[in-house]
Amino acid sequence: MNKPSIYGLTLDQLTSWLEERGHKKSRAARVWDWLYRKRVTSFSDMADVNEECLQLLEDHFAILTLEVHTKQESADGTVKFLFKLVDGNLIETVLMRHKFGLSVCVTTQVGCNIGCSFCASGLISKSRDLSSGEIVEQIMKVQHHLDEANNDERVSHIVVMGIGEPFDNFENMSDFIRVIKDHKGLAIGPRHITVSTSGLAPKIIEFADSDLQVNLAISLHAPNNELRTRIMKINRAYPLEKLMPAIDYYLEKSNRRITLEYILLKDVNDQKEHALELAELVGNRKKLANVNLIPYNPVDEHSQYQRSTQESITAFYDTLKKQGVSVSVRLEHGTDIDAACGQLRSKQINKAQ
C-alpha cells in the first residue's frame, strides 16, 4: 500500500498525530524543521529525533512520492516539471524567475473538469484531486532542484494556477497553504501566495471567510454572460449575476485587492467594445480590482483560437486605462517550451498512446 506524503500534514496535525501516539510536542517541531528548513529527503537523516519516533513516521508516511518524468528549461530560466505520481498519473509544475523572486505554479488536480474551451488543462478530464501532500511536494521538489544548484535560492512566491480548479479541491488546497506559509517552515508570506479560480461563487465566499489571508485571482475572460458561457462552461452554473456578488463579498470581507484575469483571444474577446464592457463590469470595484491581460499561448487542439495582435493588446489596455481601470499585461515565461498550462502533460500522454 502506498504511504501518504508527510508533507500533507500541517504542523498542528503532525503535532496531534505524534502526541496521540505518546510523543512529545517538541518532536513534531524537530521533524518539521528537518523537513522544511534542512529539507532532508529521508527520515533516517533526522539526526536528533528519537529513533522510535522516526520508525513510526517511516511506517506510516513517505517523504517523496513524486518522480520527475520530464523537465524542460527555457532560455529565460523558466523550468517546467512533469511529475509522475505514485499511481502513474502526470502533473505539471512550473518554476518562474522574476525580478521580485522565484515563483512556482502548482497543480491541484489530475486533469480538469471546468472545460474552458481555450485551455490545454481541460483536454483531459479530471480523474482525481491531489492530496495536500502532493501539492506541497511540488514546492519541495522545486526547492530541492534549487538546493542542488547550490546558489542559495529559495522559492518566494506561489501561484495556484496549474492544472485543475483549486476551489474544487478546497480542503486539500487550504491545508497546502497552511503548510507553506507556516513561519516555522517554508515561511512563504500570505501576500506572496495567489489562488486562482474559474469562478465557483460559493467557494469564493468560503474562501473569504477562511483564515488563509492569501491573494485571490478570478479567471474572468469575458465581460458578459453570452461570451463567457461560450468560452467557459462554468458560467452556466455561476453566471456573472452570481459571480460578481461573491467577488463583492470577498472584497468587503477582506479589503484586499483582487485580480481579474482576462485572456485575450483574437477577434473573440479583444475588441474595443469588449474593453468598454469590461470597464463597466468592474464599475465601482476599481480601487480593489486589477485586470491582468494575458496574451494567449495557442494550443494545437484549440485551433479555433489565435493570439491577439500586439496592436489589439495595446488598444485593449489603453481603453481600460482611459476608463480608470487598473490594468497590467502578464509578463510571459517559457515561450520557447510548452508554455500553456497542461500542454506538456497533454503531449506526453498523447505520445504514450
Side-chain angles (χ1 to χ4, degrees), residues 198-209:
S198 61
L200 278 63
K203 291 297 182 182
I204 293 172
I205 291 169
E206 188 176 345
F207 184 76
D209 289 335

Side-chain angles (χ1 to χ4, degrees), residues 62-293:
I63 296 182
L64 299 180
T65 65
L66 306 186
E67 174 190 330
V68 178
H69 180 281
T70 305
K71 185 167 66 175
Q72 293 183 339
E73 299 197 38
S74 169
D76 66 11
T78 300
V79 184
K80 192 162 199 175
F81 298 87
L82 190 66
F83 290 124
K84 187 176 182 180
L85 307 176
V86 290
D87 60 7
N89 278 304
L90 301 173
I91 60 167
E92 289 182 6
T93 307
V94 184
L95 168 67
M96 294 165 286
R97 294 181 177 275
H98 306 269
K99 290 179 181 176
F100 55 75
L102 301 179
S103 73
V104 174
C105 179
V106 298
T107 283
T108 54
Q109 296 179 313
V110 178
C112 184
N113 280 344
I114 299 302
C116 299
S117 62
F118 49 82
C119 182
S121 293
L123 290 170
I124 301 160
S125 296
K126 175 188 135 179
S127 58
R128 70 172 176 88
D129 291 330
L130 292 187
S131 69
S132 53
E134 289 171 322
I135 309 174
V136 173
E137 192 179 340
Q138 293 172 63
I139 306 298
M140 298 309 299
K141 293 287 275 190
V142 173
Q143 186 59 60
H144 292 155
H145 164 81
L146 294 170
D147 291 344
E148 286 166 12
N150 207 26
N151 291 326
D152 197 27
E153 293 182 313
R154 65 179 289 269
V155 175
S156 59
H157 292 68
I158 305 295
V159 288
V160 189
M161 296 182 183
I163 298 169
E165 164 55 65
F167 281 5
D168 189 35
N169 188 13
F170 194 88
E171 189 174 328
N172 289 334
M173 181 273 296
S174 298
D175 276 348
F176 156 74
I177 290 172
R178 292 186 181 99
V179 170
I180 64 169
K181 71 176 189 160
D182 191 289
H183 71 281
K184 294 178 181 175
L186 293 177
I188 297 173
R191 293 186 182 276
H192 291 175
I193 303 169
T194 301
V195 180
S196 175
T197 176
S198 61
L200 278 63
K203 291 297 182 182
I204 293 172
I205 291 169
E206 188 176 345
F207 184 76
D209 289 335
S210 74
D211 62 345
L212 297 175
Q213 295 296 307
V214 299
N215 303 316
L216 178 63
I218 307 289
S219 295
L220 191 61
H221 306 318
N224 60 63
N225 277 327
E226 186 276 324
L227 182 53
R228 194 165 191 264
T229 299
R230 183 158 32 116
I231 64 176
M232 298 178 71
K233 67 180 184 182
I234 191 68
N235 200 66
R236 295 172 195 157
Y238 303 111
L240 295 175
E241 291 80 10
K242 292 183 178 179
L243 176 58
M244 300 314 288
I247 289 173
D248 288 337
Y249 180 84
Y250 171 83
L251 293 175
E252 185 179 346
K253 184 90 176 183
S254 68
N255 198 36
R256 300 186 68 167
R257 288 177 67 81
I258 195 170
T259 299
L260 301 175
E261 298 172 312
Y262 195 99
I263 200 161
L264 289 162
L265 305 169
K266 185 179 180 183
D267 299 328
V268 175
N269 66 350
D270 66 344
Q271 303 301 298
K272 183 176 181 179
E273 60 264 29
H274 298 128
L276 290 171
E277 202 172 354
L278 179 57
E280 190 175 337
L281 182 65
V282 174
N284 60 8
R285 305 172 184 90
K286 289 175 184 174
K287 288 183 179 178
L288 285 174
N290 177 73
V291 174
N292 189 21
L293 302 178

Side-chain angles (χ1 to χ4, degrees), residues 263-329:
I263 200 161
L264 289 162
L265 305 169
K266 185 179 180 183
D267 299 328
V268 175
N269 66 350
D270 66 344
Q271 303 301 298
K272 183 176 181 179
E273 60 264 29
H274 298 128
L276 290 171
E277 202 172 354
L278 179 57
E280 190 175 337
L281 182 65
V282 174
N284 60 8
R285 305 172 184 90
K286 289 175 184 174
K287 288 183 179 178
L288 285 174
N290 177 73
V291 174
N292 189 21
L293 302 178
I294 306 170
Y296 182 57
N297 281 315
V299 176
D300 292 343
E301 293 87 345
H302 297 315
S303 58
Q304 72 272 34
Y305 296 121
Q306 299 300 320
R307 185 186 184 92
S308 294
T309 64
Q310 188 55 53
E311 291 77 15
S312 295
I313 295 171
T314 301
F316 202 98
Y317 175 93
D318 289 344
T319 301
L320 289 176
K321 273 285 188 187
K322 286 174 185 173
Q323 298 300 311
V325 176
S326 172
V327 58
S328 55
V329 178

